[in-house]
Amino acid sequence: MSTFTPGSDPGSRLPHHWLPDGSSLYDHLGRGFTLLVPAPVASDLPAISGAITPEIAGKAPGLLGPGARPGVAELAGRAGRLGIPLTVTALPPDYPWPAEFLLVRPDQHIAWRAADPAGLDLETAAGLRPVRAGV
């Protein structure tokens, strides 16, 4: 391969990005799955940013700010009920794909990409539901 073009396609490694504080975006990924959310959405989710515990997941829908997307809290709640570790982290505003919701696997590869978190299939991404060809 003579050139590499980073992208946000599922299966690709999450493109690296340096943050203003000098840390790497990778430093902010959780130990399990991480949902990277657009910065404007993340600012409305201060109560569920970071690691999602079962206790927080059960309360998350009531903690959303007025402009938040309920799909983030629903996904966090589903992860908690399924026992899937999930961290919610804001994408940097200057990230090349700042408006996408990216579900990142523990190995730093993108498992799912969506314009709305309600479109993220956590069960399939975590291997809890088999993928059937042609469906």
Side-chain angles (χ1 to χ4, degrees):
M1 172 185 343
S2 60
T3 62
F4 172 73
T5 304
S8 65
D9 295 327
S12 300
R13 182 154 189 210
L14 180 69
H16 180 268
H17 191 80
W18 289 112
L19 302 178
D21 67 2
S23 65
S24 167
L25 178 59
Y26 294 148
D27 296 336
H28 298 268
L29 300 179
R31 292 176 54 188
F33 282 85
T34 300
L35 178 63
L36 295 171
V37 301
V41 173
S43 67
D44 289 331
L45 299 172
I48 65 168
S49 293
I52 303 300
T53 64
E55 296 79 22
I56 292 173
K59 297 177 186 172
L63 297 175
L64 290 172
R69 296 211 186 177
V72 174
E74 194 275 333
L75 185 71
R78 215 172 350 134
R81 287 189 300 278
L82 293 168
I84 298 171
L86 179 69
T87 299
V88 178
T89 300
L91 279 167
D94 60 341
Y95 198 63
W97 304 275
E100 295 182 335
F101 290 84
L102 301 174
L103 184 64
V104 182
R105 300 185 322 218
D107 64 359
Q108 301 176 343
H109 284 77
I110 298 169
W112 212 270
R113 176 183 69 185
D116 186 329
L120 295 168
D121 187 345
L122 183 62
E123 291 83 352
T124 299
L128 300 176
R129 180 183 358 227
V131 179
R132 296 182 303 193
V135 176

